[in-house]
Amino acid sequence: MKKVLLINYFYSDYTGSELLIKQLAEYFYERNYKVYIGSFFQGFSLLKDTKEKVSYINLLRIKNINEEFDLVWAQHSTVLTYCIFNLELKYKKIILSILSPYESMESLPSYYKYLDFIIANSNETKEKLILETNKKIKEVHILLNSVPKEFFRENDSNKTLKKIAVVSNHIPKELRATKELFEQKNIDIDFIGKEDKYEIVTPELLAQYDLIVTIGKTVQYCFALGIPVYIYDHFGGPGYLTKENYKYEEQKNYSGRSTNEKKETSKIVEDIVEKYLKSLKNLNFFKKLAQRRYNLEKNLDVIISRVEKIKRKRIFRKKNLDIIKKEYLFEKRNNENYIKILSQIVDMNIENKLEIKYLIDEKEYSFNKEIDIRNKIEIELNFEKSGNFNFMRLDLVDNLKCTIEILKFIYVDFNGKRIDYIEELKGNFSKKEKGFYQFDMSDPQFYFEKDLIIEKNSRLEIAYKIY
């Protein structure tokens, strides 16, 4: 079985780079690869939404990567450099994907010419790479933000504007202020993102709305679903797309940077309402465009086919890696300073502290407590809200390889009924025996997944010991 390693700075939240890693994992899993995801941070949100069988590597918690991979797909050069020089990364083919023309971690490493394949997510990003290398980079392939197959479905679009969603992790104040004006017109508006309702963007989520206000890859999702989309965010934006202006917007990855045009709140509302019916006429055009240009599986098939056609004897593959490690050794020390600072930040004030995160009605809640790992630890977690519960992550201790004995994991409902859920705990432990869980990595985590109706003032009683 072929093995692929997907490298990203983090794998936790619903940001663009993380969601692409999730989609890549699904793509390679369906093609019978053994999939590994390596990152500095792994956590809550995406772990619960990644259903495929994936092996996670916390790159800050290991000394070397023992596997040799048929393919490495890296998205942050700083992390890749750390893997090559500090973790003895070995591979047959490697792809570096650059997802931004301005983010510092989305940059080329000095050894870029010894990588097998370099991808940019837009023509704007490609041009920036060419500029930064003074035209020395010979070949950059473009993989546009693309749409997984589940988004290509029929959608019964309303002919009237009744319900809008703003999908963004950085909603500007002028856009947020539209809520009152839209409500005056009997139009509902929901905000979806880190500061509001935080959930993964699915076809089912988007299909609830008559219009989506967003930027980036959600634009292509709307194309595939046949939902009108209005481009506006913290960069501003052009508003509705047309057959005439979409190519220019595509150059800037549908980011709103094409115009950087900021609008007043009243003008945004007026523009959306007055031009809505006209935008419906372009839905079929953009749906066909998505099928032709933004189909993720087809686009990845092309990329992987090109990579597989790169013929290189094993000795030359090894030579390329040897050249990187010999001729660019200075990168190791340059990069280590960043990694050292990062490690200090990660480990600062987290030892001997527990953290619990859970979802009620898809909203995330957290609980933190300082602990003394020398003693038995007892917690009562009181739920202050009623609702649907389905996922919880428990970090009962951090930065410690250990054995944890779970003494109690009991849910007590409003009427005092007690239900023991110890046997339903999952986690990244290496061994389990009679309530004892052995962790060979220094980031012990438990997960509890159960569809429950949580009542206000119900509670969870937890007791455990650390050895």
Side-chain angles (χ1 to χ4, degrees):
M1 178 181 285
K2 289 184 177 181
K3 292 180 287 188
V4 59
L5 173 63
L6 310 174
I7 294 175
N8 207 59
Y9 179 64
F10 30 44
Y11 192 75
S12 175
D13 294 321
Y14 303 134
T15 65
S17 68
E18 292 166 288
L19 287 174
L20 180 53
I21 290 291
K22 179 182 183 297
Q23 291 164 0
L24 288 169
E26 293 166 352
Y27 172 86
F28 285 110
Y29 181 80
E30 288 179 358
R31 284 152 183 78
N32 297 316
Y33 279 75
K34 183 171 176 53
V35 180
Y36 297 76
I37 295 176
S39 61
F40 289 158
F41 305 98
Q42 294 151 4
F44 187 58
S45 300
L46 270 185
L47 288 183
K48 77 177 179 64
D49 283 318
T50 302
K51 307 304 181 186
E52 288 68 28
K53 189 175 181 180
V54 172
S55 296
Y56 296 100
I57 305 174
N58 188 320
L59 300 172
L60 286 178
R61 304 295 188 187
I62 60 174
K63 292 185 177 179
N64 56 66
I65 300 173
N66 296 319
E67 305 278 353
E68 181 179 32
F69 298 95
D70 295 278
L71 179 65
V72 170
W73 184 301
Q75 293 191 155
H76 291 109
S77 58
T78 299
V79 186
L80 175 60
T81 297
Y82 182 72
C83 290
I84 289 175
F85 288 102
N86 297 79
L87 302 182
E88 299 294 327
L89 176 64
K90 296 181 284 293
Y91 53 82
K92 294 179 181 177
K93 301 278 181 68
I94 187 164
I95 296 170
L96 177 62
S97 176
I98 307 295
L99 301 177
S100 169
Y102 61 89
E103 289 289 349
S104 57
M105 290 190 71
E106 305 277 6
S107 59
L108 286 173
S110 58
Y111 50 85
Y112 66 86
K113 64 182 178 181
Y114 294 102
L115 303 177
D116 292 296
F117 211 80
I118 295 173
I119 295 171
N121 70 332
S122 68
N123 197 61
E124 178 190 24
T125 301
K126 177 179 178 177
E127 289 176 355
K128 186 64 176 292
L129 299 181
I130 293 171
L131 175 67
E132 289 178 335
T133 61
N134 196 23
K135 300 182 180 179
K136 291 179 182 178
I137 192 166
K138 300 301 181 185
E139 197 169 14
V140 178
H141 305 266
I142 293 179
L143 174 62
L144 297 168
N145 273 344
S146 298
V147 184
K149 56 181 178 292
E150 60 266 24
F151 283 86
F152 289 94
R153 61 173 70 175
E154 292 303 317
N155 182 55
D156 295 326
S157 178
N158 272 326
K159 300 301 182 185
T160 56
L161 181 58
K162 297 179 180 178
K163 196 172 183 181
I164 298 172
V166 177
V167 181
S168 172
N169 290 324
H170 25 63
I171 299 172
K173 60 183 181 181
E174 68 272 18
L175 191 53
R176 194 176 289 280
T178 62
K179 185 175 181 64
E180 184 178 348
L181 295 179
F182 277 124
E183 288 177 347
Q184 291 173 8
K185 296 177 180 291
N186 295 316
I187 297 172
D188 294 329
I189 183 166
D190 293 333
F191 297 99
I192 299 169
K194 278 189 174 182
E195 299 175 357
D196 302 277
K197 186 180 181 183
Y198 195 43
E199 58 184 303
I200 194 166
V201 175
T202 63
E204 293 75 18
L205 174 67
L206 297 178
Q208 300 174 49
Y209 298 96
D210 307 310
L211 173 71
I212 307 297
V213 181
T214 192
I215 58 172
K217 65 193 306 173
T218 309
V219 173
Q220 281 101 327
Y221 291 171
C222 293
F223 289 172
L225 286 166
I227 298 174
V229 60
Y230 188 89
I231 297 180
Y232 194 90
D233 207 290
H234 60 309
F235 294 118
Y240 289 112
L241 292 175
T242 66
K243 298 176 184 179
E244 290 73 34
N245 73 359
Y246 87 88
K247 288 185 178 180
Y248 185 58
E249 305 305 327
E250 183 189 73
Q251 295 283 318
K252 302 286 185 177
N253 205 28
Y254 298 114
S255 63
R257 292 194 304 275
S258 57
T259 60
N260 282 312
E261 180 186 351
K262 292 280 190 174
K263 297 183 175 76
E264 295 179 359
T265 299
S266 60
K267 292 295 183 182
I268 295 173
V269 174
E270 180 183 323
D271 195 39
I272 286 176
V273 173
E274 289 186 355
K275 298 178 182 177
Y276 180 72
L277 288 178
K278 186 177 180 180
S279 75
L280 297 178
K281 298 177 182 178
N282 291 320
L283 294 185
N284 191 51
F285 170 81
F286 286 116
K287 194 175 187 70
K288 290 180 179 179
L289 180 71
Q291 291 169 338
R292 189 174 73 251
R293 288 182 64 76
Y294 307 132
N295 185 303
L296 179 67
E297 286 75 21
K298 288 182 180 179
N299 290 345
L300 287 177
D301 284 346
V302 171
I303 293 292
I304 299 306
S305 175
R306 289 177 180 174
V307 173
E308 288 177 345
K309 288 178 182 177
I310 298 173
K311 301 296 184 183
R312 189 174 289 145
K313 293 181 179 178
R314 183 178 181 85
I315 185 171
F316 292 109
R317 291 200 302 267
K318 186 175 185 300
K319 184 179 179 182
N320 265 8
L321 190 55
D322 286 345
I323 289 173
I324 292 173
K325 296 172 77 170
K326 182 178 179 181
E327 300 295 330
Y328 298 88
L329 184 59
F330 61 87
E331 286 279 23
K332 182 175 188 289
R333 191 144 52 106
N334 284 343
N335 208 53
E336 278 179 346
N337 186 49
Y338 165 75
I339 300 299
K340 182 179 179 181
I341 294 171
L342 176 64
S343 299
Q344 290 172 346
I345 293 171
V346 170
D347 290 335
M348 192 180 299
N349 298 323
I350 62 173
E351 192 163 319
N352 302 340
K353 182 178 181 180
L354 76 88
E355 181 182 31
I356 300 174
K357 291 186 177 181
Y358 57 95
L359 293 180
I360 295 181
D361 291 337
E362 297 300 322
K363 183 176 180 181
E364 182 177 319
Y365 296 85
S366 62
F367 172 87
N368 297 279
K369 182 179 175 67
E370 298 291 337
I371 59 173
D372 184 344
I373 63 175
R374 298 167 298 180
N375 300 321
K376 175 183 173 182
I377 298 154
E378 295 188 86
I379 310 152
E380 280 194 5
L381 177 60
N382 294 294
F383 298 104
E384 298 179 356
K385 182 181 182 299
S386 301
N388 295 310
F389 170 101
N390 58 22
F391 186 82
M392 173 179 283
R393 191 191 82 191
L394 303 101
D395 292 313
L396 299 183
V397 64
D398 214 319
N399 199 30
L400 189 68
K401 293 182 180 180
C402 62
T403 296
I404 297 178
E405 180 187 8
I406 302 294
L407 304 170
K408 187 179 0 178
F409 191 81
I410 295 174
Y411 173 65
V412 184
D413 70 17
F414 183 75
N415 297 312
K417 182 181 178 182
R418 302 168 66 83
I419 306 173
D420 191 340
Y421 286 117
I422 287 180
E423 291 304 314
E424 300 195 40
L425 283 175
K426 302 175 183 178
N428 57 359
F429 45 84
S430 58
K431 187 177 180 182
K432 172 187 174 184
E433 186 176 354
K434 295 180 180 178
F436 289 85
Y437 301 81
Q438 180 179 323
F439 295 87
D440 295 331
M441 60 183 66
S442 56
D443 188 23
Q445 295 181 0
F446 287 98
Y447 304 96
F448 176 59
E449 296 179 87
K450 189 81 174 179
D451 290 323
L452 302 171
I453 303 298
I454 293 290
E455 299 166 314
K456 185 177 180 180
N457 296 325
S458 60
R459 69 181 185 274
L460 190 66
E461 295 179 357
I462 304 171
Y464 64 103
K465 294 177 72 174
I466 298 169
Y467 298 92

